């Protein structure tokens, strides 16, 4: 909310119409010396340069803008803001996101599976500001690309930069779950969770996903498995980030929810079959509800002043008006 600490300053804006009224009645007008040029019995000379009139109008407009900014600065606008500062820990949640080529299939509300997953993660992160969120990117290999953090700018920047094929072709679910587990194992958060988003069964890596799931349960880390995708022929298009080759056409999707549901069962977790955007939203709503932790926080107030910015803008407007009058139009003030 923006407030003016000296609102009475705006009464000075009345000087603008007063000034132009005085100019209209020939007060405060510049001194002019009329000169008539013409041939004997011919037409008199008249100056019809439209660009000069435009520049003169622009100079006057900039002078008015500069004066208005100066008065507004004198009124001292201040924006009052509030920010929550959490004094207790929330949940630690790591998203294990599949970026294998099949995640480029467009069968979730016209979006690719990866795009739909990003959108849902954005929604959950926006609602849970007190939670620490992290990302494990998984395909043929797996790696923690964002350790659990409350910094949403860092989290969203890396989430949005995830691309299909970045970690190769394959689905190493066991490695992805293990990366998340090792980062959450020693966390002191009151609740810890791993959210796996994948459309395939484990076909890469040296760690069995069921073994990783049981390890999560032993460390009291909740597991949510979101199997995203549909069966049949689905459109697909993506650019291989390594070769630059464009893949476009249709692929036969052999999405098997049974293998993913068994992984969730091994950790005594929850499995969600995702074929629509609504189902994806409902799954994330369930994650948010189950992992919500009541946190204490304090509210900090901070102000943003615009006095200096308006003064600089006013100075630049005055300089432009002066430049147009003295240098371009060569008027003597």
């Amino acid at each position: 909310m923006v407030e003016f600490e000296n609102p009475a300053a705006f009464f000075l804006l009345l000087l603008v119409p007063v000034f132009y009224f005085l100019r209209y009645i020939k007060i405060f007008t510049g001194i002019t010396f009329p000169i008539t040029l013409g041939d004997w019995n011919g037409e008199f000379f008249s100056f019809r340069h439209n660009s000069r009139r435009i520049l003169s109008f622009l100079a006057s407009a900039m002078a008015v803008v500069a004066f208005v900014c100066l008065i507004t600065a004198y009124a001292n606008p201040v924006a009052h803001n509030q920010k929550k500062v959490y004094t207790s820990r929330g949940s630690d949640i790591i998203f294990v996101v599949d970026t294998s080529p099949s995640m480029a299939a467009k069968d979730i509300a016209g979006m690719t599976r990866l795009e739909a997953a990003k959108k849902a993660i954005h929604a959950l992160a926006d609602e849970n500001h007190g939670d620490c969120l992290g990302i494990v990117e998984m395909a043929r290999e797996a790696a923690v690309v964002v350790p659990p953090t409350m910094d949403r700018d860092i989290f969203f920047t890396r989430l949005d930069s995830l691309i299909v094929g970045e970690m190769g072709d394959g689905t190493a679910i066991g490695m992805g779950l293990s990366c998340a587990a090792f980062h959450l194992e020693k966390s002191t958060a009151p609740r810890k969770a791993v959210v796996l988003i994948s459309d395939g069964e484990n076909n890469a890596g040296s760690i069995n996903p069921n073994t990783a799931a049981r390890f999560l349960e032993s460390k009291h880390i909740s597991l949510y498995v979101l199997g995203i995708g549909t069966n049949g022929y689905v459109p697909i298009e993506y650019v291989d980030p390594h070769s630059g080759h464009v893949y476009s056409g249709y692929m036969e999707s052999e999405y098997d929810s049974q293998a993913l549901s068994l992984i969730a069962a091994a950790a005594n977790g929850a499995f969600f079959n995702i074929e629509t955007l609504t189902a994806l939203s409902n799954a994330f709503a369930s994650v948010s509800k189950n992992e919500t932790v009541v946190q204490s926080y304090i509210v900090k107030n901070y102000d943003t002043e615009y006095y200096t910015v308006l003064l600089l803008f006013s100075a630049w407007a005055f300089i432009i008006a002066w430049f147009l009058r003295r240098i371009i139009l060569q008027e003597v003030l």
Side-chain angles (χ1 to χ4, degrees):
M1 180 177 64
V2 178
E3 292 183 351
F4 295 93
E5 296 188 349
N6 184 26
F10 286 114
F11 284 109
L12 294 174
L13 293 177
L14 296 175
L15 294 176
V16 175
V18 170
F19 174 77
Y20 278 99
F21 175 74
L22 293 176
R23 287 285 298 268
Y24 178 75
I25 62 176
K26 306 303 182 181
I27 300 177
F28 292 148
T29 57
I31 300 174
T32 59
F33 299 94
I35 300 177
T36 303
L37 300 175
D39 296 331
W40 185 262
N41 293 328
E43 293 184 359
F44 289 99
F45 172 80
S46 61
F47 192 82
R48 297 188 179 91
H49 207 318
N50 289 331
S51 61
R52 187 177 182 85
R53 296 193 185 96
I54 294 173
L55 290 174
S56 179
F57 173 79
L58 181 60
S60 298
M62 292 305 297
V64 172
V65 168
F67 181 73
V68 171
C69 288
L70 186 64
I71 298 303
T72 306
Y74 183 47
N76 196 16
V78 178
H80 302 291
N81 301 284
Q82 292 184 333
K83 183 178 181 180
K84 286 183 178 180
V85 178
Y86 291 94
T87 56
S88 64
R89 290 203 61 170
S91 301
D92 278 4
I93 302 175
I94 290 184
F95 299 93
V96 180
V97 183
D98 188 351
T99 59
S100 61
S102 59
M103 289 291 285
K106 293 185 177 181
D107 57 356
I108 307 294
M111 295 184 289
T112 67
R113 297 168 181 175
L114 182 58
E115 289 171 346
K118 288 180 181 181
K119 183 175 181 180
I121 294 173
H122 262 279
L124 184 142
D126 286 334
E127 293 179 0
N128 298 270
H129 295 285
D131 294 338
C132 290
L133 306 179
I135 302 172
V136 169
E137 184 177 0
M138 174 195 70
R140 184 178 60 197
E141 300 174 353
V144 176
V145 293
V146 180
T149 177
M150 288 184 66
D151 191 325
R152 291 297 186 266
D153 290 335
I154 293 176
F155 178 80
F156 287 139
T157 298
R158 191 61 182 93
L159 173 66
D160 294 337
S161 69
L162 295 179
I163 57 175
V164 168
E166 188 175 25
M167 300 289 285
D169 186 0
T171 308
I173 294 177
M175 292 181 63
L177 295 179
S178 297
C179 284
F182 291 139
H183 271 75
L184 292 177
E185 180 183 3
K186 296 182 180 181
S187 169
T188 58
R191 293 192 66 87
K192 297 174 285 187
V194 174
V195 180
L196 170 65
I197 307 173
S198 178
D199 65 349
E201 54 186 49
N202 187 75
N203 56 18
S206 57
I207 301 176
N208 187 291
N210 291 329
T211 301
R214 286 192 291 269
F215 179 79
L216 287 172
E217 184 185 23
S218 68
K219 297 299 179 180
H220 306 289
I221 301 172
S222 303
L223 176 61
Y224 301 88
V225 180
L226 280 61
I228 185 169
T230 59
N231 288 311
Y233 285 93
V234 295
I236 186 172
E237 183 175 349
Y238 76 99
V239 179
D240 190 309
H242 302 291
S243 66
H245 184 74
V246 178
Y247 293 89
S248 180
Y250 287 82
M251 77 167 192
E252 185 177 3
S253 176
E254 298 179 351
Y255 163 67
D256 182 11
S257 62
Q258 184 177 2
L260 292 174
S261 64
L262 290 175
I263 296 173
N268 197 24
F271 172 74
F272 301 88
N273 192 37
I274 310 298
E275 295 185 354
T276 64
L277 198 58
T278 300
L280 184 58
S281 299
N282 291 338
F284 273 94
S286 178
V287 173
S288 178
K289 180 180 178 181
N290 293 339
E291 300 304 318
T292 296
V293 174
V294 178
Q295 294 178 260
S296 58
Y297 62 87
I298 60 175
V299 177
K300 280 194 172 183
N301 298 314
Y302 60 97
D303 298 335
T304 303
E305 295 186 351
Y306 298 99
Y307 177 81
T308 303
V309 175
L310 288 167
L311 280 183
L312 290 174
F313 194 84
S314 177
W316 274 109
F318 270 126
I319 291 172
I320 293 172
W322 177 87
F323 181 81
L324 291 174
R325 291 287 189 190
R326 295 297 300 272
I327 307 301
I328 305 299
L329 298 175
Q330 297 184 348
E331 295 181 357
V332 178
L333 302 179

